[in-house]
Amino acid sequence: MDQTQIEALRAQAVTPFTHIIDGKQVAASDGATLDVISPIDGSVLTTIAKGTVSDMERAIASARASFEDQRWAGQPPAARKKVLLKWADLIEANALELAVLGVRDNGTEIGMAMKAEPGSAAGTIRYYAEALDKIYGEIAPTSHDVLGMIHKEPVGVVGAIIPWNFPLMIGAWKLGPALAMGNSVVLKPAETASLSLMRMVQLAHDAGLPEGVLNAVTGEGAVVGEAMGLSMDVDVLVFTGSGGTGRRLMEYSARSNMKRVYLELGGKSPNIIFADAPNLDEAAKVAAGGIFRNSGQVCVAGSRLLVEASIHDEFVSAVAKAAAGMRVGDPLKLNTAIGAVNSETQLLQNLGFVKIAQDEGGEIMAGGTRILEETGGYYMAPTIVTGVAPESTISQKEVFGPVLGVTSFETEEEAIRIANSTVYGLAGAAWTSNLSRAHRMVRAIRTGVMHINTYGGADGTVPLGGVGQSGNGSDKSLHAIEKYINLKTAWIKL
Ligand code: NAD
């Protein structure tokens, strides 16, 4: 990847995107479209179809028909594997195009987008393609006059609702295991990051996925997302996004067919720095990256920095220095460390949180403002707020922006108490040279993933899921497969 290639792709006009239903490009039933605004400069990039309830119903009917006639689920595992591996290859072959399209749509810095988006998505699809013929049923240890067998069957139609921060990576976390297990899927990308995901769906068809097995409908969550949630014909709903939407999806399920709902929600993850951390300079750099990359729009972002009082000032200065070295700007420039905030709405929300933090006694040590407004884009300086009380708003509510709240602590017990004092439980970290303390922290902090002497970067072999109001069920690893299968018992008298 070099800058010239990126600029050539940036210069290309983006043709309008439609839904993909039954393997075909389909406009909204009433012809309506939504403008796609690029957060890089606020310009209109293209349009997407503004889906209607009947578009969603049509997509679900297509998925149901493809499942019932077994055009995908009924294929031998080796045949399904071949298609998925080809899809992964196509994603890799088109990686730069996908990444640049996604960045123009959602503002993530290109370096991170290349790695976390097509790179990760191809790896995930390949992982589940390789796994699909290694998932066996079971024979139960019954008495000898019966045979108890446990079959693992696809659930049927999976509805997948995806957020805007990492559409390809998170999309692949759902699509990989769902398709590998033989399900048919209806996908709903986020309004402000549909393009690269829709392109990835096109590539699935190029790879030979039968028509109707993967349908994708764009548009507003409150319209097409709700229609998916309320459908009587979707068997499982998988979602990544905000807690508010997650709560609605559970209501939709209760009001319709009681479909299983798996939620990956937000976090307020604690990054805990003990004075005995092995390398404080490294910890400071990683802490800055752990909150400021992708403008803090990372579900596992280490948004609460808990620092042992004896090193507080020195450590926070080192984080501020690391943040100052991260260039904010045009996300398509290779030397940019922090790209654009996804939308103006999100940027204004971030600034609102900064104001509340100040009103509640926090001190702005760095950032706190919108920058580069003259570009027309949505940029925010990496922001560090010190003296943040554990019960204050920015300690308790997810900002989902480049805003780090710093709180000091005196003892390990106090650090644990503060770390566990939110409704969330997605990720966390502890930095220490003390092996026993490291293990104590893994046990004590209520999260889905706990890092020791690092932050982020856990690969596809391990699950990512939240506890508390960070969600239920996991993406990634073989454990994710459980969401996409039903267990069926065969009880046979011999
Ligand atoms: P969001 O909930 O607003 O939107 C997510 C998706 O839900 C979008 O596709 C949207 O169109 C759809 N949606 C919105 N309203 C809906 C409704 N009424 N019915 C059905 N669908 C609806 O969230 P967001 O702002 O796009 O994403 C940011 C949030 O996602 C943050 O809170 C972040 O922490 C969380 N997140 C979590 C993880 C994780 O793995 N746990 C990963 C990434 C992001």
Side-chain angles (χ1 to χ4, degrees), residues 160-166 169-170 173-174 188-192 219-229 237 239-246 248-249 252 263-267 296-300 342 346 398-400 424 426 464-466 470-471 475:
I161 303 181
I162 309 299
W164 41 259
N165 53 347
F166 293 104
M169 177 174 79
I170 296 173
W173 287 348
K174 321 284 190 203
K188 152 69 183 90
E191 294 85 322
T192 56
E220 294 172 336
V223 178
V224 285
E226 180 174 283
M228 179 189 278
L237 200 53
F239 170 74
T240 295
S242 64
T245 305
R248 276 193 206 100
L249 297 180
Y252 298 154
L263 306 173
E264 305 277 343
L265 307 173
Q297 302 165 134
V298 179
C299 55
V300 296
N342 179 256
Q346 185 68 34
E398 184 181 46
V399 177
F400 218 54
Y424 296 111
L426 191 57
L464 171 66
S470 287
D475 282 326

Side-chain angles (χ1 to χ4, degrees), residues 17-21 24-28 49-51 55 198 216-218:
F17 276 71
T18 62
H19 308 312
I20 298 174
I21 301 176
K24 293 166 195 68
Q25 308 282 337
V26 177
K50 185 179 177 189
D55 295 336
M198 293 304 282
V217 175
T218 54

Side-chain angles (χ1 to χ4, degrees), residues 256-320:
S256 55
N257 61 345
M258 295 190 283
K259 56 182 73 62
R260 285 177 3 214
V261 179
Y262 295 104
L263 306 173
E264 305 277 343
L265 307 173
K268 197 73 226 181
S269 301
N271 190 6
I272 306 167
I273 317 295
F274 288 100
D276 66 0
N279 181 339
L280 284 170
D281 277 343
E282 168 73 5
K285 281 189 201 123
V286 174
I291 176 65
F292 298 133
R293 296 303 304 275
N294 199 18
S295 299
Q297 302 165 134
V298 179
C299 55
V300 296
S303 54
R304 287 187 296 152
L305 186 65
L306 310 187
V307 189
E308 191 163 350
S310 60
I311 55 159
H312 175 276
D313 293 356
E314 168 205 349
F315 189 76
V316 177
S317 298
V319 176

